[in-house]
Amino acid sequence: MSETPAISDVRAGAIGPGRLVLVVGPSGAGKDTLLGLARDACAGDASIVFPRRVVTREASTFEDNEQVSVEDFRQGRNDGEFSMHWEAHGHGYALRRAIDDDIRAGRTVVANVSRTVLEAMRRAYADVVVVSITAPREILRERLAARARGSDGQLSDRLGRAVDEVVPDVIITNVGSAAQHAQELLRAIRGG
């Protein structure tokens, strides 16, 4: 699989009026931890949606992903089931087309995505907020080593991966209190 992102069925007019909050950052930065805390804090608020990513790798207990086979992923992509999809580290990732309906209904959709889809997402959706969650390299190394997920590949490859220049709207340096940093993420989600 290549690392090429794709947006399915991008229309001439951007999708809105709801907001799309895209969470990006290096492996080990704690994106899923902060997203989980934010999702819990937003439970019961139907105006905020945290869609499950479709992934072709083994799902982790720290993530709320829908695990599918490579064949099912390709079929879903070919059948237009995804609003966005990308491939990274030999795995396929996607968000189902239902996010477009949520955004058209005025909801806020919050998703963990690859930096490679940001430019296309900013063109496809009317109101996009990019939140970059990061941590110092030595902390990333410790977290990735502790996670020891076989499907992640070599630790040195993950840490040495070139990062394209991302121009985020919000930067969260996730060192220290996860609860405090989840509050920063919640402010970005709620537009505060």
Side-chain angles (χ1 to χ4, degrees):
M1 292 186 170
S2 68
E3 296 216 11
T4 304
I7 307 301
S8 301
D9 193 26
V10 175
R11 294 158 203 58
I15 299 170
R19 296 174 63 232
L20 180 59
V21 178
L22 301 174
V23 177
V24 299
S27 295
K31 298 179 299 291
D32 291 310
T33 298
L34 298 186
L35 281 165
L37 292 169
R39 181 176 30 254
D40 291 347
C42 294
D45 185 345
S47 70
I48 301 174
V49 179
F50 292 81
R52 294 177 75 204
R53 283 189 312 182
V54 176
V55 299
T56 61
R57 64 168 167 73
E58 184 177 331
S60 160
T61 58
F62 301 106
E63 303 168 314
D64 186 23
N65 292 330
E66 175 187 348
Q67 181 181 341
V68 299
S69 69
V70 171
E71 295 77 26
D72 287 344
F73 182 87
R74 287 184 180 140
Q75 187 65 49
R77 184 186 60 208
N78 293 340
D79 291 347
E81 294 177 12
F82 306 137
S83 286
M84 72 177 92
H85 59 87
W86 64 96
E87 296 176 3
H89 314 294
H91 304 291
Y93 297 83
L95 293 175
R96 295 206 178 270
R97 190 164 295 285
I99 72 164
D100 294 351
D101 296 334
D102 285 323
I103 291 172
R104 285 186 185 103
R107 295 182 190 95
T108 296
V109 173
V110 184
N112 176 359
V113 302
S114 169
R115 295 173 284 251
T116 63
V117 300
L118 294 180
E119 183 180 331
M121 299 311 295
R122 283 184 165 150
R123 286 191 312 265
Y125 295 89
D127 188 357
V128 176
V129 175
V130 176
V131 178
S132 175
I133 298 175
T134 189
R137 184 177 173 89
E138 57 276 5
I139 290 176
L140 296 175
R141 176 183 300 283
E142 290 171 15
R143 290 176 181 168
L144 287 173
R147 181 165 73 187
R149 188 171 58 202
S151 63
D152 277 347
Q154 294 293 323
L155 179 61
S156 60
D157 292 343
R158 300 290 286 202
L159 289 170
R161 191 172 140 232
V163 176
D164 294 335
E165 191 63 34
V166 174
V167 181
D169 300 295
V170 176
I171 298 172
I172 298 172
T173 303
N174 189 18
V175 178
S177 168
Q180 175 186 340
H181 298 307
Q183 288 301 313
E184 293 177 64
L185 178 56
L186 280 168
R187 281 192 295 276
I189 290 168
R190 292 179 174 146

